[in-house]
């Protein structure tokens, strides 16, 4: 007996997911595009019909011009009595989006396709997308202005990077994967296949501290920043480093009028920047640093210590080419350096706009990594970590609770604590970002999340 085609398997998997998320639904609109994604939808409709459901198919293809597998799926669905119409249905209980999938080429949907998407957006029924919601880029997560917002997305064969970054997390809803039985074949052919575009970050393994430990076992972190009016940023980074497990945390504030103690966190030790031994600490620089941090960067980058550059330290890199040369020297010496830009800071570094960064976050992170030859944490929805010699990683944790002032400073301090404990720049960044986002995911739904609270719960 011949094995089912990949399209037939995709259709079966999609129909099963529809049944799983809406087991009692009867009227199911299957919106099929003209290509292979539409063929997947036609196969799904065939199964739904056989299971006693009422699939209502709209197909934008034609039997004489469709791809061979899609045309064959149409013939089977038609022969089985599946209702296929040019009229967009009303009062449906579930929608199966099989319009484009991978077929989007960053062009706005138009004509009948746009009309179908608009009708889908107006439906109150839950939407299940096959492979990708229509209008979303598989590689970048950038969405067309007119795109489908699915409640569930079934990726077939492999997960798509665009589902996890930029607009992808909003557009895809809950993401599922079915390798269609090809997983074992893909593993055996792995050596001959191209490297993945990205990997999903995994939860870091938590290890108990050895009993025979002391504060020197976990390294020192020095936070340099906090210019006048911005001392809170440096204090947030320092608290995050402390709660992240650093043995000792020093704070060098660039505001001459600062108090000599943090009364809410007296474990933090305040030092003038001139008194710090840069070679003995992991340095977290730039949090609230303003313009005052720029003169310190040559000395900081010359130190034989791990360095995290955030906020105003990154802005200084744009303005001083000699600092970029120092970063290159650090890389040549094997000294760990982590940059933690948000999209606007990344845009300044790459001489483009923030929308340009958001249009392809994965590529932007790669470019920054190549430019500075160090680990880059491009913050945002689906934070991207790019590091020399590693496949880029997209972080799956986090939510909009992190969209408040100071959470980026907390992340910088958390990365610093991981570096101080002896992790590589890549692993320190991946682990810190994952835990940072997980803290937001576990935060009570109706309770606001502030950066100061996050600093104590990001470990």
């Amino acid at each position: 007996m011949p094995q089912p085609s990949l399209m037939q398997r995709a259709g079966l998997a999609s129909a099963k997911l529809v049944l799983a998320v809406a087991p009692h639904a009867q009227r199911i609109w299957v919106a099929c595009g003209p290509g292979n994604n539409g063929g997947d939808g036609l196969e799904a409709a065939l199964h739904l019909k056989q299971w006693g459901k009422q699939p209502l198919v709209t197909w934008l293809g034609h039997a004489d011009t469709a791809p061979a597998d899609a045309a064959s799926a149409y013939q089977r669905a038609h022969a089985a009595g599946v209702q296929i119409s040019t009229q967009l249905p009303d009062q449906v209980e579930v929608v199966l989006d099989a319009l484009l999938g991978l077929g989007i080429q960053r062009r706005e949907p138009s004509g009948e396709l746009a009309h179908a998407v608009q009708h889908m957006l107006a439906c109150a029924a839950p939407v299940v997308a096959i492979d990708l919601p229509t209008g979303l880029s598989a590689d970048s997560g950038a969405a067309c202005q007119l795109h489908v917002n699915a409640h569930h997305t079934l990726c077939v064969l492999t997960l798509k990077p665009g589902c996890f970054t930029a607009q992808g997390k909003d557009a895809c809803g809950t993401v599922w994967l079915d390798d269609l039985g090809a997983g074992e074949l893909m593993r055996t052919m792995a050596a001959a296949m191209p490297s993945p575009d990205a990997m999903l970050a995994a939860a870091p393994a938590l290890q108990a501290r050895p009993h025979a430990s002391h504060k020197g076992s976990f390294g020192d972190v020095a936070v340099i920043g906090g210019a006048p009016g911005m001392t809170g940023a440096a204090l947030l980074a320092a608290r995050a480093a402390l709660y992240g497990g650093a043995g000792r945390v020093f704070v060098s504030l660039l505001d001459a009028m600062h108090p000599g103690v943090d009364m809410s966190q007296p474990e933090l030790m305040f030092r003038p920047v001139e008194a710090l031994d840069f070679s003995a600490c992991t340095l977290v620089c730039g949090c609230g640093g303003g313009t005052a941090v720029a003169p310190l960067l040559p000395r900081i980058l010359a130190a034989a210590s791990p360095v995290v550059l955030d906020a105003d330290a990154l802005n200084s890199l744009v303005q001083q080419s000699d600092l970029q040369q120092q970063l290159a020297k650090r890389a040549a010496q094997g000294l760990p350096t982590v940059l933690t830009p948000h999209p606007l800071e990344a845009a300044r570094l790459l001489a483009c706009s923030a929308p340009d960064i958001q249009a392809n976050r994965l590529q932007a992170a790669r470019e920054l990594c190549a430019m500075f030859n160090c680990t880059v944490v491009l913050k945002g929805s689906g934070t991207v970590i790019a590091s020399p010699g590693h496949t880029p990683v997209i972080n799956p944790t986090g939510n909009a609770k992190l969209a408040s002032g100071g959470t980026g400073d907390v992340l910088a301090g958390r990365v610093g604590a991981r570096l101080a404990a002896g992790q590589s720049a890549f692993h320190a960044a991946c682990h810190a970002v994952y835990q940072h986002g997980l803290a937001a995911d576990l935060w009570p739904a109706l309770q606001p999340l502030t950066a100061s609270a996050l600093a104590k719960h990001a470990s």
Side-chain angles (χ1 to χ4, degrees):
M1 184 174 181
Q3 292 293 314
S5 67
L6 288 178
M7 181 174 289
Q8 290 172 315
R9 297 178 201 177
L12 176 59
S14 302
K16 285 181 176 179
L17 182 57
V18 169
L19 206 63
V21 302
H24 303 298
Q26 290 297 315
R27 288 175 58 83
I28 301 165
W29 175 26
V30 184
C32 297
N36 286 327
N37 196 244
D40 296 339
L42 288 163
E43 292 286 356
L46 173 60
H47 290 290
L48 292 168
K49 176 72 174 179
Q50 292 171 340
W51 298 338
K53 304 297 183 180
Q54 299 176 37
L56 311 170
V57 173
T58 55
W59 188 39
L60 300 181
H62 300 279
D64 55 346
T65 58
D69 283 349
S72 178
Y74 168 75
Q75 297 295 345
R76 283 195 299 276
H78 185 269
V82 172
Q83 181 181 341
I84 302 175
S85 172
T86 58
Q87 298 296 317
L88 300 177
D90 293 319
Q91 298 180 342
V92 296
E93 296 165 272
V94 184
V95 179
L96 184 59
D97 172 20
L99 289 171
L100 281 184
L102 291 173
I104 185 67
Q105 299 294 329
R106 290 298 296 137
R107 66 181 186 276
E108 283 293 325
S110 59
E112 291 181 309
L113 179 62
H115 191 39
V117 173
Q118 290 166 342
H119 192 71
M120 198 177 296
L121 293 172
C123 284
V127 177
V128 177
I130 302 179
D131 216 16
L132 282 169
T134 295
L136 183 74
S137 167
D139 296 325
S140 68
C144 296
Q145 185 174 353
L146 181 62
H147 67 276
V148 170
N149 283 315
H151 297 81
H152 298 269
T153 296
L154 176 67
C155 287
V156 295
L157 294 178
T158 64
L159 293 171
K160 312 304 186 289
C163 294
F164 300 96
T165 192
Q167 293 167 280
K169 297 190 80 170
D170 289 321
C172 291
T174 302
V175 177
W176 305 81
L177 170 66
D178 194 313
D179 66 10
L180 306 183
E184 186 59 38
L185 176 62
M186 294 171 69
R187 283 188 286 274
T188 59
M189 297 176 60
M193 296 179 69
S195 299
D197 292 327
M199 305 286 284
L200 279 180
L206 301 180
Q207 297 178 342
R209 290 187 167 192
H211 190 272
S213 300
H214 54 82
K215 62 187 178 184
S217 303
F218 306 105
D220 296 344
V221 172
V223 177
I224 303 168
M230 297 182 287
T231 55
L235 293 177
L236 287 168
R239 292 176 189 176
L242 184 68
Y243 283 94
R248 296 186 299 177
V249 180
F250 300 96
V251 185
S252 292
L253 294 176
L254 304 180
D255 182 352
M257 304 300 292
H258 72 82
V261 64
D262 181 351
M263 295 302 296
S264 65
Q265 207 66 68
E267 300 90 342
L268 301 178
M269 294 174 281
F270 288 73
R271 298 285 188 277
V273 68
E274 298 81 9
L276 282 178
D277 180 359
F278 283 5
S279 64
C281 302
T282 291
L283 305 175
V284 177
C285 179
C287 302
T291 57
V293 76
L296 301 172
L297 284 173
R299 182 185 163 201
I300 289 168
L301 294 179
S305 304
V307 170
V308 180
L309 298 181
D310 186 49
D312 294 309
L314 298 173
N315 295 329
S316 297
L317 290 179
V318 179
Q319 301 160 2
Q320 301 182 46
S321 59
D322 55 329
L323 295 179
Q324 298 179 26
Q325 295 170 4
Q326 279 194 272
L327 272 180
K329 290 180 182 178
R330 287 183 60 83
Q333 296 168 347
L335 297 174
T337 309
V338 180
L339 312 184
T340 58
H342 57 53
L344 181 56
E345 291 160 349
R348 291 171 183 149
L349 291 168
L350 290 176
C352 62
S353 68
D356 291 334
I357 298 295
Q358 294 296 79
N360 199 331
R361 292 169 48 77
L362 193 58
Q363 181 59 30
R366 288 195 192 100
E367 290 180 11
L368 285 170
C369 174
M371 177 183 292
F372 298 110
N373 201 20
C374 61
T375 299
V376 173
V377 175
L378 178 56
K379 296 181 288 193
S381 178
T383 292
V384 182
I385 302 101
S387 190
H390 294 274
T391 300
V393 166
I394 299 176
N395 183 61
T397 64
N399 57 57
K401 288 187 175 70
L402 294 173
S404 65
T407 58
D409 303 307
V410 170
L411 178 60
R414 192 73 178 88
V415 174
R418 292 277 183 169
L419 287 170
Q423 287 191 323
S424 69
F426 175 68
H427 288 101
C430 289
H431 293 177
V433 169
Y434 188 98
Q435 295 291 72
H436 184 258
L438 182 63
D441 289 340
L442 297 177
W443 202 256
L446 300 180
Q447 183 177 334
L449 176 58
T450 63
S452 57
L454 179 66
K456 297 181 179 181
H457 293 86
S459 58

